[in-house]
Amino acid sequence: MLDNRLREIISTRADAFKPYDRYDEPIPGMSWISLSGELLNGEFECFMLRMEAGAQSRPHEHMGFEEFLVMEGELIDCDGTTYRSGDFVRLLPGSKHSSRTPDGCTLLVMLRGNNRSLNEDELKA
């Protein structure tokens, strides 16, 4: 029998999302729920990310793997690649990008290692 003290249930209702402040200041139009792992622990982290219509992520470089499942909506990467609901995306360490969503989207994100913030010039290099 399952010991209920060994179970954790995390709500993913809309009211559970908080401003996305992974890079200190909240990013307009982005909110999230931490699901597992420890924020910026450098090992593993899993979270849901919601982006409102017109939202754009900040340019960043992946120091480890980033994987995400598009649960709802569409996400457009900086090279024009469009990820749609049901797409599972894997970005390898060293990949650099920023993404935007014209109509909004919800992602399930898994990170191994931290991200490094970039400026626009570093993203193009």
Side-chain angles (χ1 to χ4, degrees):
M1 183 65 104
L2 177 62
D3 182 341
N4 286 331
R5 295 172 297 173
L6 302 176
R7 175 187 353 234
E8 182 178 5
I9 300 171
I10 300 169
S11 172
T12 61
R13 292 185 311 266
D15 64 350
F17 282 78
K18 298 180 179 177
Y20 186 69
D21 58 356
R22 185 175 173 82
Y23 301 102
D24 297 324
E25 294 180 27
I27 299 174
M30 294 176 65
S31 57
W32 69 324
I33 299 172
S34 180
L35 298 174
S36 67
E38 185 177 323
L39 176 63
L40 302 177
N41 69 1
E43 293 180 17
F44 176 79
E45 184 178 4
C46 179
F47 56 91
M48 287 180 66
L49 180 66
R50 180 169 289 152
M51 297 175 71
E52 296 173 12
Q56 181 166 341
S57 68
R58 294 193 177 135
H60 57 278
E61 177 179 6
H62 299 285
M63 308 316 288
F65 288 92
E66 176 184 63
E67 298 173 314
F68 61 88
L69 172 66
V70 181
M71 298 173 64
E72 297 175 336
E74 290 184 350
L75 185 69
I76 302 171
D77 227 331
C78 58
D79 66 353
T81 301
T82 300
Y83 311 119
R84 293 177 174 80
S85 182
D87 287 346
F88 185 82
V89 180
R90 179 176 296 119
L91 297 167
L92 301 178
S95 58
K96 301 174 185 179
H97 76 129
S98 66
S99 306
R100 62 182 175 82
T101 180
D103 299 315
C105 65
T106 302
L107 311 174
L108 176 65
V109 181
M110 292 141 286
L111 290 177
R112 291 176 188 89
N114 294 327
N115 292 341
R116 182 175 74 90
S117 292
L118 301 172
N119 63 42
E120 289 294 329
D121 292 334
E122 290 175 302
L123 181 61
K124 296 173 186 173

